[in-house]
Amino acid sequence: MKNNYKVNSKLALLFVIAFTYVGSSQNTDQEQIKKLYDVALTEGAGYNWLNYLSNQIGGRLSGSIQAQQAVNYTKSQLDSLGVDKVWLQPVMVPKWVRGTPEFAYYETSPGATTNVAICALGGSVPTPQQGIKANIIEVDGIEQLAILGKDKISGKIVFFNKPMDATQIDTFTAYSNCVDQRYAGAEEASKYGALGVIVRSLNLRLDDYPHTGSMGYGEQPESERIPAAAISTNGAELLSTSLKLNPEINFYFKQNCKQFNDVESFNVIAEIRGTTKPEEVIVVGGHLDSWDLGDGSHDDGAGCVQSMEVLNLFKKTGYKPKHTVRVVLFMNEENGLRGGNKYAEIANANNEKHIFALESDSGGFTPRGFTIDSSDKNFEKILTWKNLFEPYLIHSFEKGFSGADIGPLKQEGLVLAGLRPDSQRYFDHHHAENDTFEHVNRRELQLGAASMASLVYLVDKYGF
């Protein structure tokens, strides 16, 4: 009986010690995470960095002078943080130039024209110098091309008018369901003899901003490539209505964009070296390039400065990570993914061990949570930290896509994650002239940075 009593007493004592340790650890985590949020909201530098990137440099299309200015600026700011190492990683990137502003109208009868707002899609070939004027035919997706056939399409301009699905609460799902018409529409339409394509902007609201974005021609020879442009959603609605009244409408558009030879650019990289496991790397990043119509504040200046802020917050709160925490500002996500591929290539060549990678490329709006690309076991571990984020209204932890730039790193055992802000307004600005600094709220931006720093802190402390 005495022996049983002693055993039970020891078990009870061990339970108390374990419970006390877990409670103490939880309290420590709460305190550190609160510090990260407090400092981000009161002393964070991200909003000021974004102000400079947006208003002093502007749109940062790969291969442009502005892209190089952004490389120089972000490197200098990371140098000023007093981190252990800052460097540039060379990468060859495509250089596509829009040229003079595009022009378009449709003609309902000789001399009766209506101007519409368009912009060339990134990577498109130009129109002939005099432009293209032809009958225009509307389709609601790539699939309809085969139904119509060459007889009805040859010699015409194809108008892709499949809208984003407004019933989707996750606007990225709505985007994914119709982005194929932007990326592959020209390649597919040319197979049926089309002279050019006009694509409805991927935007959930009706406005006058055409939204650009990448497109490709696959293996098509240059002689078969046709020009592609986006039309604003208001323009698309007007054109569609007019076609219903008069299917014989002619459409005219002119653009003089040009593709040059690849040029050298850089990924910008900085790190705090780990205190006990420096050989294991945690990456956090966004893409430094942007489209040229706006200043790229949401896509993806926000993600870049939030990633830089992670290092800044660790320095300001005195947190010294066990693992090496590395910020990577990737070049050329928008029209090539060269930066992400180069970083993964060099990391693999150097036999670097990455344990976690987090990307922010969904805008600088209010953070809602994270999407996680991992094994079930590692995802379950992340879910045990969810209660630590709930005071900051971060509730959504779901398995899903992480980010384009960190995707090339994917291998067994590596956990990938993406910051997920509220997405309802993101596509109002995505790849358009109104992706500008005044549409970013400082508090929302800094909350996102603190959320990223908090998740990195927990991964660093507990690992997988």
Side-chain angles (χ1 to χ4, degrees):
M1 190 73 179
K2 287 182 179 179
N3 288 339
N4 287 340
Y5 176 77
K6 287 180 181 179
V7 170
N8 291 336
S9 297
K10 286 180 180 179
L11 287 173
L13 181 60
L14 287 172
F15 177 79
V16 170
I17 291 171
F19 183 80
T20 302
Y21 173 78
V22 171
S24 174
S25 179
Q26 185 89 341
N27 288 338
T28 302
D29 293 339
Q30 289 172 348
E31 290 168 5
Q32 177 59 29
I33 289 172
K34 187 174 191 310
K35 278 185 191 176
L36 293 170
Y37 276 92
D38 288 352
V39 172
L41 292 171
T42 58
E43 303 175 43
Y47 190 68
N48 292 333
W49 290 330
L50 184 61
N51 184 13
Y52 190 94
L53 274 177
S54 301
N55 293 320
Q56 300 303 314
I57 296 176
R60 305 169 296 280
L61 194 56
S62 292
S64 67
I65 293 172
Q66 291 84 358
Q68 184 58 46
Q69 290 173 335
V71 166
N72 296 338
Y73 173 70
T74 51
K75 181 181 183 297
S76 70
Q77 295 307 302
L78 288 165
D79 274 324
S80 72
L81 298 181
V83 297
D84 295 314
K85 186 178 179 182
V86 182
W87 72 101
L88 301 181
Q89 185 176 77
V91 55
M92 297 301 292
V93 300
K95 182 179 176 67
W96 178 85
V97 175
R98 181 174 302 281
T100 56
E102 301 85 347
F103 177 69
Y105 64 80
Y106 65 87
E107 184 179 64
T108 51
S109 61
T113 62
T114 301
N115 292 359
V116 288
I118 68 162
C119 67
L121 293 178
S124 174
V125 297
T127 61
Q129 189 173 1
Q130 71 274 18
I132 293 175
K133 185 177 181 181
N135 186 234
I136 188 165
I137 184 169
E138 180 178 351
V139 298
D140 61 6
I142 287 177
E143 299 79 8
Q144 197 176 351
L145 295 174
I147 297 171
L148 292 171
K150 198 164 188 175
D151 288 345
K152 293 185 178 180
I153 294 175
S154 184
K156 297 180 180 179
I157 296 169
V158 171
F159 169 36
F160 289 98
N161 193 32
K162 182 179 181 180
M164 290 177 67
D165 182 0
T167 66
Q168 294 285 347
I169 302 303
D170 177 5
T171 63
F172 283 89
T173 299
Y175 175 78
S176 297
N177 289 341
C178 55
V179 71
D180 62 336
Q181 64 186 343
R182 187 197 74 200
Y183 188 80
E187 179 188 2
E188 295 303 317
S190 69
K191 296 174 183 177
Y192 296 89
L195 300 179
V197 299
I198 299 296
V199 184
R200 182 190 182 99
S201 287
L202 301 182
N203 177 11
L204 280 159
R205 73 175 184 178
L206 294 176
D207 61 28
D208 296 316
Y209 295 106
H211 294 230
T212 191
S214 63
M215 55 84 64
Y217 294 103
E219 300 300 320
Q220 272 189 335
E222 290 188 18
S223 60
E224 296 178 12
R225 298 179 179 184
I226 60 176
I231 186 172
S232 71
T233 47
N234 272 340
E237 292 288 298
L238 183 62
L239 179 58
S240 181
T241 300
S242 298
L243 278 167
K244 288 178 175 62
L245 297 172
N246 179 8
E248 301 305 314
I249 283 175
N250 284 322
F251 192 91
Y252 171 87
F253 74 113
K254 180 180 179 180
Q255 57 191 41
N256 66 346
C257 41
K258 185 175 181 180
Q259 187 77 50
F260 293 86
N261 292 332
D262 291 355
V263 299
E264 185 179 62
S265 189
F266 303 91
N267 292 330
V268 184
I269 308 176
E271 68 182 26
I272 297 174
R273 193 159 174 81
T275 56
T276 59
K277 296 182 177 180
E279 74 285 355
E280 296 184 358
V281 181
I282 293 172
V283 162
V284 57
H287 65 85
L288 194 52
D289 64 304
S290 76
W291 287 107
D292 55 324
L293 297 177
D295 59 45
S297 287
H298 276 297
D299 187 20
D300 184 32
C304 287
V305 300
Q306 287 172 330
S307 301
M308 294 165 66
E309 193 77 274
V310 171
L311 297 190
N312 188 36
L313 294 176
F314 282 178
K315 296 292 287 186
K316 282 185 173 293
T317 60
Y319 180 71
K320 296 180 180 180
K322 296 189 298 183
H323 305 82
T324 292
V325 177
R326 182 180 294 170
V327 164
V328 184
L329 308 182
F330 299 94
M331 184 56 68
N332 183 233
E333 186 271 349
E334 290 293 4
N335 59 336
L337 206 65
R338 302 279 186 88
N341 286 324
K342 175 58 70 171
Y343 178 80
E345 175 192 326
I346 299 299
N348 290 332
N350 292 337
N351 292 316
E352 292 184 337
K353 183 180 180 181
H354 288 68
I355 65 166
F356 182 64
L358 170 62
E359 184 167 349
S360 173
D361 185 18
S362 300
F365 299 102
T366 302
R368 299 296 188 202
F370 301 93
T371 47
I372 312 295
D373 183 357
S374 74
S375 66
D376 291 341
K377 181 180 178 182
N378 287 333
F379 180 62
E380 290 300 322
K381 184 162 189 177
I382 290 174
L383 287 182
T384 65
W385 306 330
K386 183 177 178 181
N387 65 307
L388 293 166
F389 289 89
E390 288 178 351
Y392 308 98
L393 304 181
I394 306 297
H395 297 290
S396 178
F397 288 75
E398 298 179 354
K399 294 195 77 171
F401 178 69
S402 55
D405 282 303
I406 60 176
L409 284 170
K410 187 172 182 178
Q411 56 184 274
E412 188 175 352
L414 175 62
V415 177
L416 305 177
L419 177 71
R420 285 296 173 261
D422 188 292
S423 71
Q424 303 312 312
R425 291 174 289 147
Y426 181 65
F427 289 99
D428 296 356
H429 307 278
H430 185 246
H431 298 176
E433 185 183 343
N434 65 336
D435 182 5
T436 49
F437 180 71
E438 65 266 26
H439 296 292
V440 178
N441 176 275
R442 180 188 184 279
R443 191 169 177 85
E444 292 179 334
L445 180 77
Q446 296 297 145
L447 284 169
S451 301
M452 293 167 68
S454 298
L455 185 58
V456 170
Y457 156 74
L458 291 166
V459 171
D460 178 64
K461 182 174 178 180
Y462 297 107
F464 292 107

